[in-house]
Amino acid sequence: MIEIFLKSLIIIFTVITTGLISNRYFFKLNINQNFSEAGLLGIMVLSIISFLFHFLTPLNVLISNFIYIFPLIFILTERFSRKKILEFSKFCLIFSTLIVLYLSFSNLYRPDAGWYHIPFSRLVSDFKIIAGTASLHPMFGTTAILQYLSSVFHNSILGVNGILFVNPIILVLFLVFFFNNLMKESQPILKFLSLVVLFSIFVEMNRNSELGNDAPGYLFYFYLIYVFMRSNLVDGYKNERFKFLSLISVFCFFIKSLYIF
């Protein structure tokens, strides 16, 4: 349990840091105080960076270390207030505790992992992009961009078990995000949507062994709808929101090609 807690603490720190850096220099959204949303942005950015790197090189341990550690080094150049550091530390501790609680009820990990998730992550780690991989093994045609993120989580810091943290991290980030919105959001329709998503998580996504690629895909699709509605009801439709909506849309497609519609 201590190992799970420490590794989830390291992962969430990197993920949120990536989100904050990406937001500061590109998206410029008002999410600096919303660490769960910064974490979701970090998940998307890290996944896409990993995918783009794979065109050039295998995502071996050396490359994974670079992709994973770079945000940690970069954040050291930033200056944060003491209050923000304390809030960030508190969030990371609560988040890691939730990960431990979630995984403590899971004594089985078989979300199609042995059939094509883990073999595809191994393929990504050993070779750069291979055209027609799905022809070599038809089940590789059902993999998602999340397998590239899994390969990056297999690094010198997290070890081989880092690949098992991707889905729990995403699930708990969404859980915290929609719970906070349910408690703090003033728009009734956004509160209702948050409640619906929370019900979906507790009823349909409460087992780690059944998440696979489908559950994260659904959650990011719900998130796309939420951000779109929030942009129109609260924030106003700005250029930054369009870039953010475009990123979520592309990421949904990279998880499940059916979302192209």
Side-chain angles (χ1 to χ4, degrees):
M1 291 299 176
I2 296 177
E3 180 183 357
I4 295 175
F5 180 83
L6 293 176
K7 287 186 176 180
S8 60
L9 195 65
I10 295 170
I11 291 173
I12 195 58
F13 186 80
T14 299
V15 167
I16 293 177
T17 297
T18 304
L20 292 175
I21 294 171
S22 304
N23 184 57
R24 177 171 181 176
Y25 292 99
F26 187 72
F27 295 100
K28 300 180 180 179
L29 304 169
N30 186 27
I31 63 172
N32 290 330
Q33 301 301 322
N34 192 337
F35 295 119
S36 55
E37 190 159 22
L40 294 173
L41 176 58
I43 288 287
M44 291 185 283
V45 171
L46 277 176
S47 300
I48 293 175
I49 289 175
S50 305
F51 175 71
L52 294 177
F53 259 90
H54 192 225
F55 278 95
L56 306 174
T57 178
L59 297 181
N60 53 39
V61 174
L62 181 62
I63 299 299
S64 297
N65 287 342
F66 172 77
I67 297 174
Y68 191 82
I69 295 174
F70 180 75
L72 299 180
I73 298 175
F74 195 88
I75 202 65
L76 295 177
T77 64
E78 303 291 316
R79 291 185 178 182
F80 297 102
S81 65
R82 182 179 179 182
K83 180 180 178 181
K84 189 168 184 179
I85 292 174
L86 290 175
E87 291 176 351
F88 185 34
S89 302
K90 179 181 177 182
F91 178 86
C92 290
L93 290 173
I94 294 174
F95 182 89
S96 299
T97 302
L98 290 174
I99 290 289
V100 171
L101 290 174
Y102 178 70
L103 291 179
S104 65
F105 289 96
S106 176
N107 57 6
L108 188 64
Y109 184 77
R110 54 181 180 85
D112 304 320
W115 181 230
Y116 56 91
H117 289 177
I118 294 177
F120 186 77
S121 294
R122 177 61 185 270
L123 189 70
V124 168
S125 299
D126 289 346
F127 307 96
K128 67 179 184 179
I129 273 186
I130 303 174
T133 303
S135 300
L136 301 176
H137 195 305
M139 295 306 295
F140 289 160
T142 60
T143 54
I145 196 172
L146 299 178
Q147 273 65 69
Y148 292 89
L149 185 61
S150 297
S151 296
V152 169
F153 281 2
H154 175 199
N155 52 54
S156 300
I157 300 175
L158 302 174
V160 67
N161 289 331
I163 65 175
L164 306 179
F165 280 84
V166 172
N167 283 346
I169 291 289
I170 292 174
L171 182 74
V172 176
L173 277 173
F174 275 115
L175 180 65
V176 175
F177 173 77
F178 283 111
F179 180 78
N180 284 337
N181 289 331
L182 179 64
M183 295 293 103
K184 300 178 181 179
E185 184 57 62
S186 58
Q187 287 288 340
I189 189 169
L190 294 179
K191 290 177 74 75
F192 178 73
L193 179 59
S194 298
L195 183 63
V196 170
V197 176
L198 286 173
F199 271 121
S200 300
I201 291 174
F202 284 117
V203 175
E204 295 292 337
M205 307 175 191
N206 52 26
R207 293 185 180 182
N208 186 49
S209 60
E210 297 179 357
L211 291 181
N213 290 330
D214 294 329
Y218 299 147
L219 289 171
F220 273 103
Y221 184 65
F222 294 151
Y223 180 52
L224 174 64
I225 297 173
Y226 184 92
V227 173
F228 177 78
M229 295 176 64
R230 185 179 64 186
S231 299
N232 287 276
L233 294 173
V234 180
D235 301 321
Y237 202 74
K238 303 176 182 177
N239 184 49
E240 291 79 9
R241 286 290 168 188
F242 177 76
K243 290 190 292 187
F244 193 42
L245 286 167
S246 300
L247 175 68
I248 303 171
S249 301
V250 170
F251 194 71
C252 285
F253 171 69
F254 280 172
I255 294 178
K256 290 180 70 71
S257 56
L258 185 63
Y259 287 140
I260 191 173
F261 296 105

